[in-house]
Amino acid sequence: MAWDTAKTRRLILDAAVGEFAAHGPEAARMDRIAATAGVNKERIYSYFGNKRQMFAIVLTTELERLAEAVPLDEKAARDLGEYAGQVFDYHRAHPHFVRLLHWEGLHSAGEGPVAAEAERTAHYAEKIAALARAQQSGDLDTRLAARELLYSVIVLAGWWFATPQLRRMLMPDLDDDPDGQRAALVRIVRRSATPRTDRRRRQDARGHASGTTRPVW
């Protein structure tokens, strides 16, 4: 019977995701990955190289999955709050992803290049360009640079899962309410990204409807 190489690689990658997310690139063990995947450890080395190379492949693969699942183009950028909500949804379904990024940051300590850094930087540049186009067309506020908007969305969407203890202390009413967390995130991002003239128009409309007007700060 022919060996199913694609299936074996997939089993190894899935096992490695869990191992690296739980233990990081230093404490992760190849023998545990092999046991979980049900393969000989030597097969991991032949497919993926050493542990450092394996971690880089795992992280790059997970980044590609996120990019494919939640693309950011000019159309999506028009409602940046909803895009942030979709990123939140992805993290909610794949909580290991944020942990992998944090392990990468702890392991590299911000020094030197990380896995596929040039390719990742180019990918982020495409997202920044999409946000900039949305700003130019008047769909997004221009008081923050496009790169600042992107960074804020990445941080805001992921931090709910990266530091649950802060969420519990700051928003105890939302601690066990992921739908409420998502709604808060969408509201925050929309507030920061909606053009000021649009906010003024909506507030004026509410003011006229209620017979009052309020200033826009």
Side-chain angles (χ1 to χ4, degrees):
M1 182 176 66
W3 189 269
D4 191 340
T5 302
K7 180 181 178 181
T8 302
R9 287 178 62 89
R10 185 171 64 253
L11 289 171
I12 294 172
L13 271 175
D14 290 343
V17 166
E19 178 71 11
F20 283 119
H23 303 286
E26 289 295 334
R29 291 176 52 178
M30 299 293 257
D31 57 346
R32 285 197 296 248
I33 295 173
T36 301
V39 302
N40 186 291
K41 184 168 68 173
E42 294 306 315
R43 195 168 294 279
I44 298 178
Y45 292 111
S46 66
Y47 285 167
F48 298 101
N50 60 34
K51 189 165 66 171
R52 176 176 293 184
Q53 293 169 322
M54 180 87 207
F55 179 70
I57 292 170
V58 164
L59 188 54
T60 302
T61 300
E62 291 302 301
L63 286 163
E64 291 172 350
R65 288 173 177 171
L66 171 61
E68 182 179 354
V70 194
L72 177 57
D73 53 19
E74 188 174 350
K75 180 179 179 180
R78 292 170 187 161
D79 188 351
L80 197 59
E82 177 55 28
Y83 170 78
Q86 292 176 14
V87 176
F88 178 96
D89 294 338
Y90 188 89
H91 288 317
R92 183 179 174 184
H94 307 86
H96 62 270
F97 179 75
V98 169
R99 292 198 295 272
L100 288 171
L101 283 180
H102 277 249
W103 279 120
E104 180 187 48
L106 289 170
H107 182 60
S108 67
E111 300 175 359
V114 295
E117 183 164 336
E119 293 82 356
R120 289 158 66 179
T121 300
H123 177 68
Y124 288 133
E126 293 176 359
K127 293 187 175 185
I128 291 169
L131 293 175
R133 290 193 296 271
Q135 287 180 317
Q136 293 167 2
S137 63
D139 293 310
L140 291 178
D141 197 284
T142 58
R143 287 176 296 166
L144 291 176
R147 62 183 182 181
E148 295 170 342
L149 280 175
L150 179 60
Y151 187 76
S152 67
V153 168
I154 292 172
V155 172
L156 288 169
W159 211 243
W160 297 90
F161 305 92
T163 56
Q165 73 278 21
L166 291 182
R167 181 186 68 209
R168 183 176 64 251
M169 290 183 281
L170 291 169
M171 302 186 199
D173 56 316
L174 296 181
D175 191 41
D176 294 320
D177 182 9
D179 291 336
Q181 296 165 22
R182 187 190 195 279
L185 168 66
V186 171
R187 187 165 56 249
I188 292 168
V189 174
R190 280 180 176 160
R191 178 68 181 176
S192 63
T194 300
R196 195 168 184 175
T197 53
D198 286 357
R199 291 203 302 271
R200 184 186 299 276
R201 191 179 304 116
R202 286 199 294 268
Q203 290 189 347
D204 286 347
R206 288 197 298 268
H208 288 311
S210 63
T212 62
T213 58
R214 290 180 296 175
V216 179
W217 304 107

